[in-house]
Amino acid sequence: MKRLARRKSVDEAKPAALWMNTFADLMNLLLCFFVLLFAMSNVDEEKFNQIAASLSSSFSIFNGGQSSIGDGQLINMGVAQLNEFEQYFSNMGKTTEDTEGEEIEELKQFLTEANKVETDKMYDNISEMSTQYNLDNYLDIETDQTGGQYVLINISGSLLYDSGKAQLKSEAIPIFSKVGDILKTYKGYRISVIGHTDNVPVVSGVYRSNKELSAARAINAAEYLIDVKGINPANIEWIGRGEYDPIADNSTEAGRSKNRRIEIRIYNSLNTN
C-alpha cells in the first residue's frame, strides 16, 4: 500500500521567525526607552535660539527658526500668497554691502530725526526761560542747522567785554548770571563756550592776536559759570576761534560788531558724551 508523503503545515513556524520576534521586541523596547528619555529631557532654549539665528544669518531665509517670512503666508503655500512679495523680490540680487549701506542710511536718518525732536524741545524751553528772565533783547537763540545737535545762545561781545579786554564787564554780570541760571537746568549736558572776534588785528594790550583774545574771553566766561553758577567743569569746554567763523561782513562796523560775540552751545542728551 503506497503511503502519501506528509504535507508540511503552513502554520508551522520557521526556525528564522524565533529570533526575528525577539529582535522586534528589542526594537520596541529601545524605542520606548528613547521616547522616555526625550520626554524627561529639557530643551535648552537659549542654545536653540542661537542655532536658529545662526541658520537664519547663513541662509537668509527665516528669522529665529520661523517658518514664514514676516507675518505672511507659509512658503509652501505659494509665492503668490506672500503679503510682502514685492519687497522681497526687490531685494533679490543685492549684495551684503548694498544692504548694509541702506541700513546705515536709515540709521542716519533716524538719528537726525531724533536729534531734531529733542533739540526743538530744548529750544522751546530755553526761549521760554529767556522771556521769563527778560533776556530777549540780549540773546539770539537758534538751533543747529546742520545736524540738530545743540541749541545756540549768541551774546554780543560788546555787551560782555570792553574793547581788547577779556574780563566780563560789571554791568554785564546780571545778564550773564541769568544765562547761567538757564544752563543750570541742563545739568549733565555738554556745554561749549566759544569766543569770536572781528578781523581787526590786535595792535596793543595783553593779547598778541585775536585768537588769544577770543580764547581768554571764552575761558573767563566758562570760569564764571563754573565758579559762580556751579556748572560741573567736566561738562563744559571753552574754545577761542578768533576771526575765523564770522557771521557777518567784516567790511562794515555793523558786521564787525556782530562778529564780536560769545556763543554758548548746549548739546542735547544724544550728543553729550
Side-chain angles (χ1 to χ4, degrees), residues 181-221:
D181 291 335
I182 294 176
L183 299 180
K184 285 172 62 176
T185 64
Y186 289 93
K187 183 178 180 181
Y189 283 61
R190 174 187 168 196
I191 297 173
S192 181
V193 180
I194 308 172
H196 300 272
T197 67
D198 56 30
N199 65 346
V200 177
V202 175
V203 294
S204 62
V206 179
Y207 307 102
R208 297 175 299 175
S209 66
N210 283 323
K211 294 189 292 294
E212 288 187 5
L213 177 59
S214 64
R217 287 176 172 177
I219 290 173
N220 287 335

Side-chain angles (χ1 to χ4, degrees), residues 76-119:
N76 60 6
M77 296 179 67
V79 175
Q81 295 179 351
L82 288 174
N83 293 338
E84 300 177 359
F85 171 67
E86 291 183 358
Q87 175 184 349
Y88 291 100
F89 180 79
S90 63
N91 290 333
M92 292 177 62
K94 290 187 177 180
T95 63
T96 302
E97 289 77 8
D98 294 334
T99 303
E100 290 178 350
E102 291 178 356
E103 292 176 350
I104 291 174
E105 289 302 320
E106 291 178 356
L107 179 59
K108 287 182 179 179
Q109 183 177 358
F110 173 79
L111 290 176
T112 300
E113 290 298 325
N115 274 316
K116 185 177 184 303
V117 170
E118 182 170 352
T119 302

Side-chain angles (χ1 to χ4, degrees), residues 33 102 109 120 132 138 169 197 206 220 232 235 246 264:
F33 175 72
E102 291 178 356
Q109 183 177 358
D120 286 346
Q132 292 175 354
Y138 305 107
K169 294 194 296 186
T197 67
V206 179
N220 287 335
N232 188 342
N235 298 326
I264 299 178

Side-chain angles (χ1 to χ4, degrees), residues 208-273:
R208 297 175 299 175
S209 66
N210 283 323
K211 294 189 292 294
E212 288 187 5
L213 177 59
S214 64
R217 287 176 172 177
I219 290 173
N220 287 335
E223 286 183 341
Y224 176 86
L225 295 174
I226 293 171
D227 298 338
V228 179
K229 307 308 293 185
I231 303 295
N232 188 342
N235 298 326
I236 192 169
E237 60 186 5
W238 46 89
I239 304 170
R241 291 294 298 153
E243 70 268 23
Y244 298 112
D245 292 327
I247 59 174
D249 188 0
N250 273 313
S251 63
T252 66
E253 177 55 36
R256 290 192 294 270
S257 177
K258 290 183 178 180
N259 291 331
R260 297 190 295 268
R261 68 198 191 277
I262 286 290
E263 289 182 353
I264 299 178
R265 297 178 180 180
I266 311 171
Y267 288 83
N268 62 36
S269 62
L270 300 176
N271 293 276
T272 289
N273 295 327

